[in-house]
Amino acid sequence: QVQVVESGGGLVQAGGSLRLACAASGSISRVDDMGWYRQGPGNQRELVASITDTGLTNYAYSVKGRFIISRDNAKNTMYLQMNSLKPEDTDVYYCNADVGVRTGPGMPMWRHYWGQGTQVTVSS
C-alpha cells in the first residue's frame, strides 16, 4: 500500500513559523498533485495550498503571502512553510496526494491518499 504521513506540527506563538512535511511512500509509480488542507469548523475541510508535479502552486486567500508550498519529487515529499502564523491558523492540517500506485504490469492505479493529520496550534 501507499502511506502518506505528515509531520512538523506543534505549538507556536502568534507571529512564529512552522514547517510541515508530507511524505508519500510505498508502491508508487509517480505522484502528481499534492495539497495541504485544514479541517475548518465542523467537519468541513478547506484547501490551504496545492502544488502540481511541475511546481504550479495555488493558495487560499487567507494564507497568501504567509505560507509557501514546495515539493521534492525525488523524495515524494511536500512541504508547507508557514510564517506569520495567526491564532486563526490553529487546526489539524492534512496532506492529500494524487498517487499512481504500482499494482503490476500495465497502467498504475490512480488514487487520492490522505494523511492522518498533524496538529498546528497558534497561541496569542
Side-chain angles (χ1 to χ4, degrees), residues 11-17 83-89 121-124:
L11 174 64
V12 66
Q13 295 186 35
S17 298
N83 301 315
S84 301
L85 282 162
K86 304 175 180 179
E88 301 95 292
D89 296 318
T121 303
V122 184
S123 66
S124 300

Side-chain angles (χ1 to χ4, degrees), residues 101-115:
V101 183
R102 293 184 176 182
T103 59
M107 296 183 295
M109 177 180 289
W110 287 90
R111 299 211 185 283
H112 285 74
Y113 286 89
W114 289 97

Side-chain angles (χ1 to χ4, degrees), residues 37-46 90-92 94 119:
Y37 295 75
R38 56 193 181 191
Q39 189 65 56
N43 291 322
Q44 67 178 262
R45 188 171 292 181
E46 65 179 11
T90 296
D91 215 324
V92 178
Y94 297 90
Q119 176 70 49

Side-chain angles (χ1 to χ4, degrees), residues 31-50:
V31 180
D32 281 346
D33 294 359
M34 303 182 77
W36 288 100
Y37 295 75
R38 56 193 181 191
Q39 189 65 56
N43 291 322
Q44 67 178 262
R45 188 171 292 181
E46 65 179 11
L47 175 69
V48 177
S50 63

